Each structure stands twice: as structure tokens, then as C-alpha cells.
Amino acid sequence: MRALALAKGEALGNDYLVVDARDLATARAASEPAVAADPAAPDPMTPALARALCDRHRGLGADGVLVGWPHVTPIRLRIWNPDGTGAEKSGNGLRIFGAWLHGRGVVGGEPFEVALPRDVVRLQVQGAAPGGGLVLSVAMGAADFEGRAVGFGPQSGLADQVALDLGEAGSALVNTVSLGNPHCVVLVDEFSRADFETRGPALATSPAFAEGTNVQFARALDRHTAEAWIWERGAGETLASGSSACAVAATLVRRGALDPGAITVRMPGGEVSVDVAGDFRLTLRGPARMVYEAVVAPGLVEAWVAGAMPA
């Protein structure tokens, strides 16, 4: 059995573990010869291992795991939630992955592409961030406001302030947005912790969304600034989310509460900039930094893949 080397990064308090798919395949192949490091091979991560790595008491602790193939063109990335499910896209995760690639010398200051399960995005390291780390931009693609794009059963067309029954959690007026991953924006005048903790998880797991959804409670502060609280599918409440910030900015621009162009989205973990173009193509800009490198003790990977621990 071999130890597994990985790293941890954070973007506005949203933290991810990052591992090279080849290193993970090598660590698993020591006890599972069928696991190959071939870039065309399936992702060597497993749901049980992702859950174990993200466990904040028995594992390393994180809001997710990034599995990268830095040696292929375009660079490939798969994102895992802490509950062992996959995520299509993460703006913060992408910036952390970009910082990891930059630290390994894989990319410099030039634009580069990263292939996700459903699309390919372009990133660029734009310079140093205050307090360490880097500022990176991510071309997140165009926002799609139709319900069908997020698997929203009640409304296949434009889902604009659609009333949704949440059972014991009450109800909500939802605005759906797809950026290659599903979002549900709920507009509020004021933030309430009790309301957020009740309706946030109910929305994220509502059967109205075929594959669940990421939830944002949001409001406009002025014509160029928004505030948001985030409840992520598969992760729960997070301090920040890049794709959620994009969904909030796009929704508020479409509803006329914000002006197109550069928008600041403030979240509990900090703020990012989202540029909303006339065609609702979105560019996310914000900090990310690597925090540490670590080695998982030999034997733990095998045990965690088997689901032996955490308990």
C-alpha cells in the first residue's frame, strides 16, 4: 500500500482537497491492480473515499475534492461533493484548481482550458492576491434561465419567480439558473438565519429539481452590488460559491435590480466580481490560495475506499 499525496486550497473560505488522478490511481493500484493511471480511464475517486477525505473529524476536512488530470490537453477536472456525489462545476473549485496548477508549473499567466463533465471553461491567473494566493478569472459560460436546464419539473420554460411548495418548510418564489450546474435563486429583502436554515436544505433536496439544486438567498444592495447566502447541493451551507455568485448576479440583472457589467457579490466568506455581458455570458474573478500539502497514511486509502472509515 502506498501513501496518497494531495493538497488543500481555499477560496473565500470554501475549501477543496486537490489530488492528481495519477497519484490517486497509483495509491489505489498498490492494493487494487485493476486501477490504472491511464488518462482515459474512469475517475479513480470513489464516493466512499470522497466522503472520508472530506470528513472534518476523521479525514482531512473539505467542502469537496478536485481530481485533476494536469497532463492531458485540455486539462481535465472532476469535482466531488463531501456527500460522495459529483458536481458539474464550481467557480471556487476551478480557481483553487488553477492555483494548484500554477504552483506546480503546469500553467503560467496565459489563458488555459479545463474540461469538466459538461463543458470546457477558460481560466487565467491574473496576479497575486492580498494576503497570499492568486487572483484568477474564469469564463463560466452563459446563464440559462429555463427550468428544463436545471431539471425543474414545475416549469420547463423561463422559471421566473415560480411559487414552489416546500411542505413543512413553507414555500418559496424561485428563479432557476443553469451554468452547467443547477441553481435556484430566492430573492429576499432581509436575511434570516432561521429562514435560511429551514428553506435552504428543503430547496436543495426538493423533488421539483431532478438532480437537486444549489440554493442562493440573495438581494441587491445597489445597482452594482449584491449579497448572497449559499446552501450547496451535497455540501450544505458554505461561506462562498463562485457559480452561485454568478447565478445571483445574472438573476438580479435579468430582473432589472442590477446593471449589466461588473458586479460585486458579497458572501459570508468574502466577495467576488462577476461580469455580466449583454448575452448573459459570465466571467468570474476572485482569489484562491493553496493552504497545505499532505500525505494520507498508507492503508487509509484502501480502508476508506472500502467504506471502513470514517464510522
Side-chain angles (χ1 to χ4, degrees):
M1 293 176 287
R2 296 188 182 182
L4 172 64
L6 42 68
K8 186 174 185 177
E10 66 91 13
L12 303 181
N14 196 200
D15 57 342
Y16 280 86
L17 300 169
V18 192
V19 60
D20 189 313
R22 295 168 295 181
D23 293 339
L24 178 53
T26 298
R28 288 190 57 194
S31 58
E32 302 172 82
V35 178
D38 182 344
D43 187 344
M45 184 59 66
T46 69
L49 180 56
R51 289 193 297 268
L53 287 168
C54 292
D55 188 287
R56 296 191 183 275
H57 299 286
R58 297 181 176 87
L60 283 79
D63 289 323
V65 184
L66 309 174
V67 180
W69 286 257
H71 55 296
V72 302
T73 303
I75 297 166
R76 182 181 167 205
L77 174 65
R78 295 295 177 266
I79 305 169
W80 289 79
N81 291 318
D83 68 350
T85 59
E88 302 90 347
K89 183 181 284 185
S90 165
N92 285 345
L94 280 161
R95 297 200 317 280
I96 291 168
F97 186 56
W100 180 78
L101 292 169
H102 188 272
R104 290 166 67 100
V106 177
V107 301
E110 74 286 351
F112 60 96
E113 293 186 333
V114 173
L116 296 165
R118 294 185 179 177
D119 59 355
V120 177
V121 298
R122 175 164 289 199
L123 291 84
Q124 186 172 14
V125 176
Q126 298 191 325
L134 301 168
V135 174
L136 298 97
S137 64
V138 187
M140 295 289 286
D144 187 336
F145 302 105
E146 293 199 341
R148 64 173 61 87
V150 297
F152 186 57
Q155 176 63 50
S156 62
L158 179 66
D160 181 14
Q161 293 288 86
V162 177
L164 186 62
D165 182 10
L166 301 175
E168 294 183 357
S171 62
L173 296 177
V174 305
N175 300 269
T176 68
V177 190
S178 173
L179 295 169
N181 60 342
H183 294 274
C184 165
V185 181
V186 177
L187 304 180
V188 298
D189 294 323
E190 300 289 340
F191 291 100
S192 162
R193 170 57 53 182
D195 178 42
F196 178 68
E197 292 180 345
T198 299
R199 293 198 295 165
L203 282 162
T205 58
S206 169
F209 296 91
E211 298 180 350
T213 188
N214 299 295
V215 180
Q216 302 83 35
F217 281 31
R219 63 180 179 177
L221 299 179
D222 57 39
R223 300 299 303 179
H224 305 282
T225 311
E227 184 178 10
W229 286 6
I230 316 298
W231 195 283
E232 290 195 85
R233 176 190 58 171
E237 182 178 6
T238 55
L239 293 176
S241 166
S243 62
S244 292
C246 290
V248 165
T251 296
L252 289 172
V253 168
R254 184 179 62 79
R255 292 192 55 78
L258 295 177
D259 295 330
I263 293 167
T264 298
V265 180
R266 297 175 181 170
M267 296 166 284
E271 62 184 42
V272 295
S273 173
V274 180
D275 186 80
V276 182
D279 61 356
F280 287 99
R281 291 194 174 275
L282 306 168
T283 301
L284 172 68
R285 186 175 184 271
R289 63 181 175 180
M290 302 312 300
V291 178
Y292 65 69
E293 295 183 351
V295 176
V296 177
L300 279 182
V301 172
E302 180 183 32
W304 288 347
V305 167
M309 56 183 299

